[in-house]
C-alpha cells in the first residue's frame, strides 16, 4: 500500500535479514518460520506501469510531449462541475477515465514527474473562484433583505457547492475503484514527499493536500479500523512489515523482533476493514511493574524465549514505539485511537493494570540546543544557560570556552563515553530539555511533535530521564534523554481540553522544578 517512506521522522532502513538460516538459528527462532515462508516475506506494494516519456532538461521535446500528455489526461479524467441544479442527475464519471489517470500516474517513474502532474492537477482543477464570488454575493444580498429561511439556506448550499474543488470528484470516483483508496494513500505520500523536496509549492498544492487528508480521515475513521495483535506466529509478511515500519527503535535481527512480540511485550496494529492484516500504524508495549526510565531495559534486555509471564507482577504498560507504516496517512488521527483501543484491550487481559505511560524519544532536541548555544556564544556575556560553576567545570574538562566546546561535543556521541562529562552535563541538559518540552512553543502549542501528540491526548509531562537511550541515534538526536508522558485515564479528557483550549501543559513536580531552575538562570 505504501512506497518508500519519506526520511522525515527518523525512519530506519529495513534490516538485512538473511536469505538462508543455519539449522541452529532455525531451532532458536522456532517452527513458525520455515525457509519457504522467509523467501516470500512481502507482497509487492506498488506495480508501476511501463514508463512513458520523461521530463528532461536535456530533451525539451520529450518534456513538452509529457506535459501535453498530462494536460490531455487531466482534461479527460477530471470532470467539470455540473450546474447546481444538475448535481444529483449528472451520470457518474466513467470508470475507465479514472482508470486512465491511475494507469498514467503509475507509469511515471520519476518523483519529479509525479510532482509535476500533481501540481498541474492542483493549479488547474481546483475551485472556480468566479463562482465562489458570485454565490457569496448572493448570500450577502439575501442576508440584508427579509427572506424566508429556505431561500437563504439554499443560497448557502449553492456557496458550499461552489467551494468544492474539481479534483475532489476525481478522488471520489477513484476511491470507488478496486484498490482505489490504497492508490490515493500512495498519491498523498508522493505529494508530501514532493512538498518536502520543494518540487511542488504554493497555496493550491497545500489546499489539495488538505482536501485529500480530510477525505482519508473519513475513510480511515475508527469505525472502519480493526485492532490486530502481532505474535511470533503471525504471518511472515506482517512481521517483516512491522520491522520495516519501526521508525523509533530499529529492529536489528529476527531474534530482536521475536523479543518484541514475546513475553512481557505486546505489539498491536490497526488495519482497514478493506485490507485486513495490512498494518497502518503499529504500537509496541512493554508490560512491567514500574514506569521504565531507560529504553535499554526494554529492547536490549535479553529475555529467554521460553519465559512465561507472571501476570500478578504486571501493573504497568509502557508505550515505547508508535510508527506509521503509510506516510500518506500523516495527519490522519490514528495514533490516539490506537492507544485508547490498546488500553482497553490490556485492561481486559490484565485487570490489575493501573499505570499507563509512554517512554518517548525527544526528536529535535539536540538540533534546537545547538542553535541556542550558537546564538548565545555570539553574545559574549553570561548566557544564562549554564551556572558559573557549570561553565567552569566544563571549561576545565574540555580546555576551552564552555559554550563553544559544548557545540562541538554535542555534535557527536563521544562525550557520552566520558564519565566526567556525563556528570558535568547532566544538570544543565536536564534543565534545558525541560524548558524545550515545556516552554518552547509553536503557535502556542508544544514545539516538539511527540510532546504535542501526547499532550493533546491528555497525557502528563511526567518525567525526563537521563541517558535513557545511549544508542548512537539517541545520543546524537536528544543527548540520550527520553521522557515519560503518563496517562491518568480519569484526567485525560480534562487535560486534553486544557491543552487544546488554553494551551496549558500539565506537568509533574520534577519537570516544573527543572523549568523553574532554567527560568531562574536565564532570567525569564
Amino acid at each position: 500500500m505504501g512506497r518508500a517512506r519519506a526520511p522525515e521522522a527518523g525512519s530506519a532502513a529495513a534490516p538485512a535479514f538473511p536469505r538462508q538460516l543455519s539449522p541452529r538459528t532455525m531451532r532458536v527462532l522456532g517452527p513458525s518460520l520455515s525457509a519457504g515462508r522467509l523467501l516470500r516475506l512481502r507482497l509487492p506494494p506498488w506495480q508501476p506501469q511501463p514508463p512513458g516519456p520523461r521530463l528532461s532538461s536535456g530533451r525539451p521535446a520529450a518534456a513538452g510531449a509529457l506535459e501535453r500528455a498530462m494536460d490531455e489526461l487531466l482534461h479527460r479524467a477530471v470532470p467539470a462541475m455540473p450546474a447546481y441544479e444538475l448535481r444529483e442527475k449528472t451520470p457518474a464519471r466513467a470508470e475507465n477515465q479514472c482508470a486512465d489517470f491511475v494507469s498514467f500516474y503509475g507509469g511515471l517513474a520519476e518523483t519529479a514527474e509525479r510532482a509535476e502532474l500533481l501540481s498541474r492537477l492542483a493549479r488547474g482543477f481546483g475551485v472556480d473562484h468566479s463562482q465562489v464570488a458570485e454565490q457569496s454575493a448572493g448570500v450577502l444580498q439575501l442576508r440584508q433583505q427579509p427572506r424566508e429561511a429556505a431561500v437563504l439556506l439554499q443560497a448557502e448550499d449553492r456557496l458550499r457547492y461552489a467551494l468544492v474543488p474539481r479534483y475532489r470528484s476525481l478522488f471520489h470516483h477513484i476511491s470507488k475503484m478496486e484498490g482505489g483508496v490504497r492508490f490515493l494513500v500512495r498519491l498523498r505520500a508522493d505529494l508530501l514527499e514532493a512538498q518536502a523536496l520543494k518540487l511542488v509549492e504554493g497555496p493550491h498544492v497545500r489546499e489539495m493536500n488538505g482536501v485529500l487528508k480530510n477525505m482519508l480521515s473519513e475513510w480511515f475513521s475508527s469505525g472502519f479500523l480493526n485492532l490486530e495483535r502481532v505474535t511470533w506466529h503471525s504471518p511472515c509478511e506482517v512481521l517483516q512489515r512491522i520491522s520495516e515500519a519501526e521508525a523509533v527503535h530499529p529492529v536489528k535481527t529476527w531474534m530482536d523482533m521475536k523479543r518484541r512480540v514475546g513475553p512481557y511485550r505486546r505489539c498491536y496494529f490497526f488495519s482497514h476493514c478493506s485490507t485486513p492484516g495490512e498494518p497502518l500504524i503499529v504500537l509496541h508495549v512493554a508490560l512491567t511493574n514500574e514506569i521504565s526510565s531507560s529504553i535499554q531495559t526494554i529492547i536490549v534486555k535479553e529475555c529467554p524465549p521460553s519465559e512465561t509471564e507472571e501476570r500478578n507482577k504486571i501493573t504497568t504498560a509502557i508505550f515505547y514505539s508508535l510508527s506509521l507504516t503509510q506516510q500518506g496517512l500523516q495527519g490522519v488521527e490514528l495514533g490516539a485511537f490506537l492507544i485508547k483501543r490498546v488500553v482497553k484491550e490490556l485492561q481486559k487481559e490484565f485487570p490489575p493494570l493501573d499505570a499507563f505511560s509512554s517512554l518517548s524519544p525527544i526528536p529535535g532536541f539536540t538540533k534546537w540546543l545547538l542553535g541556542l548555544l550558537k546564538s548565545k556564544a555570539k553574545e559574549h556575556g553570561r548566557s544564562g544557560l549554564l551556572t558559573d560553576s557549570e561553565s567552569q567545570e566544563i571549561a576545565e574538562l574540555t580546555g576551552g570556552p564552555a559554550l563553544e566546546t559544548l557545540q562541538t561535543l554535542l555534535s557527536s556521541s563521544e562525550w557520552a563515553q566520558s564519565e566526567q562529562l556525563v556528570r558535568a552535563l547532566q544538570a544543565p541538559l536536564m534543565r534545558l530539555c525541560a524548558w524545550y518540552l515545556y516552554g518552547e512553543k509553536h503557535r502556542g502549542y508544544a514545539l516538539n511533535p511527540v510532546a504535542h501528540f501526547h499532550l493533546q491526548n491528555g497525557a502528563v509531562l511526567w518525567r525526563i530521564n537521563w541517558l535513557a537511550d545511549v544508542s548512537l541515534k539517541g545520543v546524537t538526536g536528544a543527548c540520550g534523554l527520553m521522557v515519560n508522558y503518563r496517562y491518568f485515564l480519569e484526567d485525560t479528557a480534562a487535560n486534553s481540553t486544557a491543552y487544546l483550549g488554553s494551551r496549558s501543559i500539565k506537568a509533574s513536580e520534577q519537570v516544573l522544578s527543572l523549568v523553574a531552575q532554567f527560568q531562574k538562570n536565564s532570567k525569564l
Side-chain angles (χ1 to χ4, degrees):
M1 190 170 167
R3 65 170 59 209
R5 54 190 295 134
E8 181 264 330
S11 59
F17 293 117
R19 281 294 219 182
Q20 295 182 346
L21 303 181
S22 67
R24 179 181 179 277
T25 303
M26 289 301 297
R27 287 196 299 272
V28 172
L29 293 176
S32 67
L33 280 178
S34 66
R37 293 179 72 197
L38 281 171
L39 291 177
R40 53 178 191 274
L41 288 175
R42 281 195 63 191
L43 299 175
W46 176 259
Q47 298 290 344
Q49 302 296 317
R54 298 182 180 180
L55 290 171
S56 171
S57 57
R59 297 183 61 192
L66 180 55
E67 291 170 355
R68 287 192 297 275
M70 288 180 178
D71 289 337
E72 292 172 3
L73 168 77
L74 293 175
H75 281 94
R76 188 172 69 252
V78 184
M81 297 291 286
Y84 176 80
E85 292 76 12
L86 301 175
R87 66 194 185 284
E88 296 178 356
K89 299 176 183 178
T90 304
R93 199 68 177 165
E95 185 174 315
N96 62 346
Q97 291 169 312
C98 295
D100 286 346
F101 179 88
V102 172
S103 177
F104 187 95
Y105 188 87
L108 299 175
E110 302 294 330
T111 301
E113 295 167 357
R114 296 191 294 272
E116 178 64 22
L117 179 60
L118 295 175
S119 178
R120 287 170 181 265
L121 178 63
R123 292 196 313 268
F125 299 86
V127 169
D128 184 339
H129 296 290
S130 63
Q131 274 293 311
V132 173
E134 180 181 333
Q135 300 302 329
S136 298
V139 171
L140 290 174
Q141 185 178 5
L142 288 172
R143 285 181 60 85
Q144 295 169 1
Q145 303 171 0
R147 294 279 183 148
E148 292 183 6
V151 177
L152 179 59
L153 290 174
Q154 186 182 54
E156 291 173 343
D157 192 48
R158 286 176 178 271
L159 176 58
R160 277 193 296 272
Y161 182 70
L163 287 167
V164 175
R166 283 178 63 182
Y167 50 70
R168 193 184 191 283
S169 180
L170 173 67
F171 297 154
H172 176 71
H173 288 302
I174 289 175
S175 73
K176 295 181 178 181
M177 298 170 55
E178 183 177 357
V181 173
R182 180 182 304 203
F183 169 82
L184 291 172
V185 172
R186 288 199 301 260
L187 184 144
R188 182 165 183 259
D190 291 341
L191 182 60
L192 292 172
E193 181 182 13
Q195 287 181 291
L197 296 173
K198 306 296 183 183
L199 295 175
V200 293
E201 295 182 278
H204 296 92
V205 171
R206 290 194 295 272
E207 174 68 14
M208 188 170 77
N209 177 46
V211 168
L212 191 50
K213 173 192 164 185
N214 291 337
M215 297 178 78
L216 291 170
S217 295
E218 293 179 6
W219 298 329
F220 287 88
S221 62
S222 59
F224 298 119
L225 302 176
N226 299 320
L227 180 67
E228 302 189 40
R229 180 183 167 190
V230 182
T231 71
W232 188 238
H233 299 286
S234 296
C236 280
E237 292 85 357
V238 172
L239 291 168
Q240 178 78 2
R241 190 64 182 273
I242 297 296
S243 69
E244 290 177 349
E246 178 52 49
V248 185
H249 306 291
V251 178
K252 298 181 177 65
T253 64
W254 277 114
M255 279 303 299
D256 187 7
M257 187 69 209
K258 188 171 186 178
R259 280 196 298 271
R260 298 190 193 198
V261 296
Y264 297 101
R265 302 291 180 268
R266 293 294 184 272
C267 178
Y268 297 93
F269 68 85
F270 268 151
S271 64
H272 194 265
C273 59
S274 65
T275 54
E278 186 167 345
L280 301 174
I281 186 169
V282 183
L283 177 66
H284 288 271
V285 185
L287 303 174
T288 67
N289 59 1
E290 62 181 358
I291 295 180
S292 304
S293 60
S294 168
I295 195 62
Q296 284 80 231
T297 64
I298 292 177
I299 63 172
V300 180
K301 179 183 177 182
E302 294 287 342
C303 297
S306 60
E307 183 179 358
T308 56
E309 296 173 345
E310 296 184 47
R311 301 173 66 85
N312 61 323
K313 293 185 177 181
I314 297 174
T315 61
T316 306
I318 305 296
F319 312 125
Y320 68 92
S321 176
L322 183 67
S323 297
L324 191 66
T325 70
Q326 312 294 335
Q327 293 308 298
L329 294 177
Q330 284 186 41
V332 176
E333 191 173 358
L334 296 175
F337 287 142
L338 181 55
I339 289 176
K340 290 176 183 177
R341 289 280 296 276
V342 167
V343 166
K344 292 180 180 178
E345 197 73 14
L346 292 173
Q347 286 178 320
K348 292 178 187 176
E349 187 178 2
F350 302 100
L353 203 63
D354 61 0
F356 299 90
S357 174
S358 78
L359 179 59
S360 300
I362 312 173
F365 172 59
T366 300
K367 181 179 179 180
W368 169 83
L369 180 54
L370 289 174
L372 184 63
L373 290 170
K374 184 177 180 180
S375 65
K376 292 294 184 180
K378 293 179 181 178
E379 296 176 3
H380 302 294
R382 187 178 184 278
S383 68
L385 301 181
L386 304 172
T387 64
D388 292 339
S389 60
E390 289 168 348
S391 295
Q392 182 178 350
E393 183 178 9
I394 293 171
E396 290 175 354
L397 290 173
T398 60
L403 294 185
E404 287 83 347
T405 53
L406 263 184
Q407 293 180 60
T408 303
L409 284 175
L410 298 180
S411 297
S412 72
S413 62
E414 294 179 4
W415 65 270
Q417 309 301 317
S418 166
E419 292 185 7
Q420 290 178 310
L421 282 173
V422 166
R423 285 196 300 270
L425 294 179
Q426 180 175 358
L429 289 183
M430 289 281 283
R431 279 198 314 270
L432 287 160
C433 184
W435 176 254
Y436 170 68
L437 294 173
Y438 185 86
E440 289 295 314
K441 303 293 178 62
H442 174 66
R443 297 178 180 175
Y445 298 108
L447 173 66
N448 182 266
V450 178
H452 177 65
F453 169 79
H454 287 290
L455 292 171
Q456 71 177 352
N457 292 341
V460 174
L461 180 52
W462 195 65
R463 186 175 67 195
I464 298 171
N465 303 295
W466 177 244
L467 291 189
D469 183 358
V470 295
S471 68
L472 177 63
K473 180 180 176 182
V475 174
T476 56
C479 302
L481 291 157
M482 297 188 78
V483 57
N484 299 115
Y485 298 99
R486 187 163 178 183
Y487 286 80
F488 296 94
L489 301 184
E490 65 277 9
D491 298 329
T492 53
N495 292 343
S496 176
T497 300
Y499 177 69
L500 295 174
S502 60
R503 295 166 171 76
S504 172
I505 294 178
K506 186 77 171 178
S508 68
E509 291 184 6
Q510 183 232 28
V511 174
L512 293 177
S513 174
L514 290 169
V515 168
Q517 293 173 34
F518 174 87
Q519 292 175 317
K520 179 181 179 181
N521 289 332
S522 303
K523 300 293 190 291
L524 292 180

